[in-house]
Amino acid sequence: MTTYKRLNKTLLWVLVIAFSILIAGGLLIFKNEAPRPSRIVDESGTTIVTKQQLISGQAVYEKYGLTDYGSYLGNGTYFGPDYTAQALHIYLRGMYQYYSQKQYNQTFKQLSTEQKAGIRGKVKAEIRQNRYSQAKDQLTLTTAQTAGLQHLTRYYRHEFRNNPHEAGMPENMIKNNTDDFMTHGDKIDQLTYFFFWGAWLSSTNRPGQTYSYTNNWPYDLDAGNVMLPEAMVWTALSVALLVAGVGIVIYFYKRYHFDMEYTLDYRDMGTIKTDEPITSSQRKAAKYFLIVMLMFFIQVMLGELLAHYYVENGFFGIPLQNIWPFNLAKTWHLQLVIFWIATAWLATGIYITPRVLGREPKRQGFLVDTLFYALLVVVAGSMLGEWGSSLGIINNKWWIFGHYGWEYAEMGKFWQILFIVGMVLWVIILCRGFLPAIKIKKNLDRSRLLQLLLAGSVAIPAFYLASLFILPNSHVTFADYWRWWIVHLWVEGIFESFAVILIGYLLVDMKLTTIKSTIRALYFQLILLLGTGVVGMGHHYFWEGDHAIWLALGSCFSALEVIPLCLLVWEAYTHYRVYRESKRDFPYKGTFMFLVSTGLWNAIGAGALGFLINAPAINFFEHGTQWTSAHAHGSMAGVYGFFSIAIMLFAMRHLTKPEFWTPKVERWIKWSCWAFNIGLAGMTFVTLMPMGYLQLKDALQFGYWHARQASFYKEPIIQGLTIARSVPDIIFTAGVVIILVIFFRAMFHLKKASKEINPVDYDIK
């Protein structure tokens, strides 16, 4: 275990096994996904719904960005209802009304308790029976189910027409255009059919099974949707596996000394120079960082607007939702966080490239400028397209230039392809410096470290290619399988791995750790992160209509994901030790403060809060509530956000003149770090976690559909918690403004570009 060869082989085998499991599970989708029948008919054989109408309803859902208002099969945003759970509840009420009129000639409310219980039992047994004929590719509805569908249609006609009570949504948002992937007919009715299909597949037993296509999710006693025993069993086993895994990992960690060893003179910070010359491409990278902070600021402002929509339908009496609805603000809020974090990492890679080579590759500055303006086009173009699609301005080709309709993959296909092209150009920029540097045989350890960093860079555009597999008419289970490759594997897996490698590189660059121990530590962390995280993303597949095997795989591996995340707390402590023991002329105190914060939020936001919600026994009731939002904010802002600021501060320290970094500037960076942490902690633990607890309690008491209704957010205690969130929001925003001002001022203190620079010396004992 002391050679790179053995570690490299172990990492490759871990990747092969993990991705084999993930892909094999994905292949089961084609065998196990719920059918989309060519026709839905009544008992007389009359066609009620066609497959084209189902797909058209799905296209309506996607075009208007409803996934960024409510959710479908629990996936989406938390403000609006979960349309699967809501449709199931309303559909059942329609069946109750049918039987109460037929049997007693009364409304359901007028019946006695015994009569209601009888009808509920009859309806429950009726909907559990699967009447889909594979031979005919046809779904037959009973007369009562047909009545339930008609009741559901009337309900959504009322909800989506003349609906000023829908907070954050414009009236009559859905137009009756027949756009791409749509068919002629009433678009609200077709949207209803899509919602009904979700209600059907979540409450009808799989062939030969006693549970639905979604493993009985959502929780609804009236539909017979109760948690499977397997969910509790695998939750318990995952906890046991976590305990065992902790012991095994600690053994290997200590037995083979997989921690980073600090150099003998790491306390002598006087040896670190930041006044070295920079090249033209490095100087051009500075403008990326300013744009990053502008996008970050806009994203935070959008988050505050979203919080405001929870309180009132409008913005201080202004009907802002008519031009800036909740779903559009949420789309931009999610998309901007990916843009600004990715851009921060792209710019840092651009800065590092001449640093590892010791000179400027020819025409590197031209490529850097080209990438910069291409990114601006993608950001501005995709956001305008989503605005036009959501408001019905972009109709035909909405899926190419407008809102693509899937959370975290909202960009139209044209913008997705341009984004991939931009990332490929970034890899080319890196390769022009990294490949010649790797070929230098002077220091093999240095070459190995650069190989790891370059491999992590190449993986970023490679894994985003999964977005191309999703089309507007893709089956929702198939689409969501690949969507989680973007949300979990790309953002949480590849980004996490790249961050770990980059942290190791920076520590060596700053001459704080020995290169050999750093490379070994990186291998160990990557083996743990990817070995658990790749299969661990299966916890997203519990309830979306995929195979029940994910209850076992997803629960166990997602529990193991906590181990490497929590081990990073030790790394955070070592970073803190360097910061604490450094002399006053140590130039990276700001960077280290944010690195320490990254390690802590990795354990708290990604690890602890992720473990809290990922176990099947909790996730069955919690899925898509504010606890999920707490985990998302704690991990996205606390890990990737703080890390991005850390690496930007590192790069800007070298790009600007030393005299810019006065003690006053250092104090402002310190205050901004405290503002970020206090604001995020307040947002997470003062507002989102208490709200999520009350929402979970509501779901357990009344059913999941009830906890996702708009009425939940009108409760006085929820309103109070939402209003109280404004305090940590303002504190967090203050931290963003401070860093934005510092970066803006830094643009006027950039060093002049030089043609030659000194390569970093990695020969550290």
Side-chain angles (χ1 to χ4, degrees):
M1 293 296 292
T2 59
T3 64
Y4 298 151
K5 183 177 181 181
R6 186 174 297 180
L7 288 169
N8 196 58
K9 185 181 294 185
T10 302
L11 176 60
L12 290 175
W13 272 111
V14 165
L15 290 174
V16 168
I17 294 171
F19 277 100
S20 295
I21 295 172
L22 182 62
I23 294 173
L27 292 174
L28 291 174
I29 289 177
F30 299 102
K31 181 179 180 181
N32 294 279
E33 64 185 12
R36 286 193 294 185
S38 59
R39 295 194 310 156
I40 300 177
V41 302
D42 60 18
E43 290 185 317
S44 65
T46 302
T47 300
I48 305 173
V49 182
T50 65
K51 185 174 184 177
Q52 289 73 24
Q53 289 174 315
L54 281 179
I55 293 174
S56 181
Q58 179 176 324
V60 173
Y61 180 80
E62 294 166 348
K63 176 182 184 293
Y64 291 100
L66 288 174
T67 188
D68 284 319
Y69 181 70
S71 57
Y72 191 85
L73 291 177
N75 295 309
T77 300
Y78 326 106
F79 186 35
D82 179 79
Y83 292 109
T84 309
Q86 185 185 64
L88 176 58
H89 175 74
I90 302 301
Y91 156 58
L92 293 177
R93 293 300 173 272
M95 294 182 69
Y96 294 164
Q97 292 293 349
Y98 169 79
Y99 278 120
S100 62
Q101 289 290 340
K102 179 181 179 181
Q103 295 180 8
Y104 304 105
N105 199 28
Q106 292 179 312
T107 65
F108 187 69
K109 288 184 178 180
Q110 294 173 322
L111 301 183
S112 66
T113 302
E114 291 78 9
Q115 290 170 331
K116 289 180 179 178
I119 289 178
R120 284 194 176 98
K122 183 177 181 65
V123 168
K124 184 189 299 184
E126 190 169 320
I127 65 170
R128 302 303 299 190
Q129 185 177 345
N130 195 330
R131 297 178 180 83
Y132 169 73
S133 170
Q134 187 174 6
K136 297 180 179 179
D137 192 19
Q138 178 176 291
L139 172 62
T140 302
L141 302 183
T142 65
T143 304
Q145 287 178 304
T146 303
L149 174 56
Q150 292 170 348
H151 181 74
L152 184 65
T153 303
R154 290 191 295 270
Y155 176 83
Y156 280 119
R157 285 174 180 173
H158 177 268
E159 288 295 302
F160 286 103
R161 292 196 182 109
N162 303 313
N163 54 341
H165 64 281
E166 286 286 332
M169 296 287 279
E171 295 183 35
N172 303 314
M173 179 183 69
I174 298 175
K175 309 299 189 294
N176 222 27
N177 304 328
T178 301
D179 306 321
D180 288 356
F181 291 94
M182 299 180 190
T183 189
H184 292 285
D186 190 297
K187 297 302 174 290
I188 293 177
D189 287 357
Q190 292 169 1
L191 179 64
T192 301
Y193 301 151
F194 177 59
F195 292 163
F196 170 78
W197 177 70
W200 172 81
L201 69 91
S202 64
S203 60
T204 297
N205 288 341
R206 281 184 179 271
Q209 303 293 342
T210 58
Y211 52 84
S212 73
Y213 290 96
T214 57
N215 292 310
N216 282 356
W217 191 92
Y219 172 59
D220 192 325
L221 291 177
D222 288 343
N225 275 3
V226 295
M227 186 175 66
L228 298 180
E230 289 85 349
M232 181 61 74
V233 169
W234 285 111
T235 296
L237 290 175
S238 69
V239 174
L241 190 60
L242 170 63
V243 175
V246 168
I248 294 171
V249 168
I250 290 177
Y251 168 77
F252 278 96
Y253 185 78
K254 290 295 185 181
R255 171 66 177 81
Y256 297 104
H257 307 289
F258 282 122
D259 48 354
M260 297 180 187
E261 298 175 0
Y262 283 89
T263 56
L264 297 177
D265 59 346
Y266 80 90
R267 291 183 178 87
D268 182 14
M269 300 306 170
T271 60
I272 297 180
K273 305 279 187 188
T274 61
D275 58 351
E276 75 280 7
I278 61 172
T279 68
S280 174
S281 67
Q282 288 179 314
R283 195 174 196 274
K284 291 175 183 291
K287 60 179 176 284
Y288 283 77
F289 297 131
L290 182 60
I291 293 298
V292 164
M293 290 311 301
L294 287 172
M295 288 193 289
F296 190 11
F297 178 73
I298 295 171
Q299 188 231 344
V300 170
M301 290 294 99
L302 289 168
E304 295 192 9
L305 175 62
L306 293 172
H308 191 91
Y309 277 137
Y310 277 79
V311 179
E312 68 162 322
N313 183 24
F315 186 75
F316 295 108
I318 303 173
L320 195 60
Q321 73 277 5
N322 292 329
I323 59 172
W324 214 342
F326 181 96
N327 57 329
L328 177 63
K330 182 61 182 287
T331 294
W332 287 1
H333 182 69
L334 292 178
Q335 188 167 301
L336 277 173
V337 71
I338 293 178
F339 276 145
W340 77 258
I341 289 174
T343 303
W345 296 16
L346 299 184
T348 303
I350 290 169
Y351 162 73
I352 289 175
T353 300
R355 192 172 173 86
V356 303
L357 186 59
R359 60 179 174 81
E360 178 90 329
K362 292 182 179 180
R363 298 187 179 275
Q364 187 84 332
F366 171 76
L367 294 178
V368 171
D369 280 338
T370 301
L371 177 60
F372 177 76
Y373 293 112
L375 286 173
L376 290 183
V377 170
V378 171
V379 172
S382 62
M383 292 174 68
L384 287 174
E386 288 150 356
W387 180 78
S389 178
S390 298
L391 295 182
I393 298 173
I394 297 177
N395 295 311
N396 289 326
K397 310 307 176 188
W398 58 269
W399 62 283
I400 297 178
F401 301 106
H403 199 299
Y404 202 64
W406 297 97
E407 189 189 29
Y408 285 101
E410 288 93 348
M411 283 190 292
K413 191 64 69 179
F414 175 76
W415 308 112
Q416 289 179 2
I417 293 173
L418 280 188
F419 189 45
I420 293 171
V421 170
M423 289 190 288
V424 170
L425 175 58
W426 174 66
V427 171
I428 292 173
I429 291 173
L430 297 188
C431 287
R432 299 176 82 236
F434 273 68
L435 291 180
I438 290 172
K439 292 178 181 178
I440 298 174
K441 301 301 183 182
K442 178 181 177 182
N443 189 324
L444 296 180
D445 293 324
R446 174 180 183 271
S447 296
R448 180 56 60 96
L449 181 59
L450 295 180
Q451 287 171 8
L452 287 175
L453 188 57
L454 183 60
S457 304
V458 172
I460 291 178
F463 279 88
Y464 191 78
L465 291 174
S467 64
L468 301 181
F469 300 150
I470 307 172
L471 291 174
N473 61 349
S474 297
H475 191 290
V476 292
T477 304
F478 174 86
D480 224 44
Y481 173 82
W482 289 111
R483 188 179 73 88
W484 284 115
W485 278 59
I486 304 300
V487 183
H488 189 100
L489 189 55
W490 185 61
V491 174
E492 299 182 36
I494 302 305
F495 273 31
E496 182 80 45
S497 300
F498 180 79
V500 165
I501 298 171
L502 189 53
I503 288 175
Y505 170 84
L506 294 179
L507 292 174
V508 173
D509 187 301
M510 292 183 285
K511 297 181 173 62
L512 297 176
T513 60
T514 62
I515 190 169
K516 290 182 181 294
S517 68
T518 298
I519 293 174
R520 283 167 40 79
L522 291 180
Y523 268 114
F524 182 66
Q525 292 174 12
L526 290 173
I527 289 169
L528 291 180
L529 281 170
L530 297 174
T532 60
V534 172
V535 184
M537 68 182 287
H539 67 259
H540 296 292
Y541 300 151
F542 293 159
W543 327 118
E544 66 171 24
D546 210 336
H547 198 281
I549 193 174
W550 288 113
L551 282 172
L553 294 175
S555 59
C556 291
F557 280 88
S558 63
L560 291 174
E561 280 184 276
V562 179
I563 301 173
L565 296 177
C566 289
L567 276 179
L568 293 177
V569 174
W570 174 250
E571 295 298 328
Y573 171 75
T574 58
H575 299 159
Y576 169 72
R577 187 179 65 179
V578 171
Y579 165 71
R580 183 189 62 189
E581 297 178 357
S582 64
K583 296 180 180 179
R584 58 185 175 88
D585 61 345
F586 178 48
Y588 302 115
K589 289 184 178 180
T591 294
F592 270 68
M593 287 187 68
F594 280 99
L595 284 181
V596 170
S597 301
T598 299
L600 294 176
W601 281 101
N602 230 331
I604 297 171
L609 296 183
F611 180 74
L612 177 66
I613 67 173
N614 289 342
I618 293 295
N619 196 257
F620 181 77
F621 304 99
E622 177 279 334
H623 186 40
T625 66
Q626 292 297 330
W627 272 8
T628 302
S629 181
H631 165 60
H633 283 81
S635 56
M636 204 69 179
V639 179
Y640 302 112
F642 290 177
F643 175 73
S644 298
I645 295 173
I647 61 177
M648 288 193 297
L649 286 172
F650 170 83
M652 287 299 286
R653 188 80 197 213
H654 290 264
L655 295 174
T656 50
K657 299 172 183 176
E659 55 266 26
F660 172 73
W661 301 94
T662 63
K664 184 178 180 180
V665 172
E666 296 288 358
R667 283 197 303 271
W668 278 110
I669 293 174
K670 180 179 179 180
W671 291 340
S672 72
C673 187
W674 278 107
F676 275 118
N677 280 280
I678 293 171
L680 183 57
M683 187 191 312
T684 303
F685 297 106
V686 174
T687 299
L688 297 177
M689 288 300 291
M691 285 176 63
Y693 167 77
L694 294 172
Q695 202 168 17
L696 176 58
K697 184 178 178 181
D698 189 279
L700 288 165
Q701 185 174 358
F702 301 108
Y704 181 77
W705 69 272
H706 189 272
R708 290 294 305 273
Q709 292 290 94
S711 57
F712 173 80
Y713 295 105
K714 300 302 180 184
E715 294 291 332
I717 187 172
I718 300 300
Q719 290 275 294
L721 287 170
T722 304
I723 294 172
R725 177 178 167 175
S726 61
V727 176
D729 280 358
I730 292 172
I731 296 173
F732 189 89
T733 305
V736 178
V737 172
I738 291 172
I739 299 296
L740 174 59
V741 171
I742 290 174
F743 278 24
F744 177 76
R745 292 183 63 243
M747 296 299 294
F748 299 96
H749 296 80
L750 295 177
K751 299 175 184 175
K752 292 183 179 180
S754 301
K755 292 184 178 180
E756 297 291 334
I757 61 174
N758 296 323
V760 177
D761 179 17
Y762 296 93
D763 190 17
I764 302 170
K765 304 300 181 184

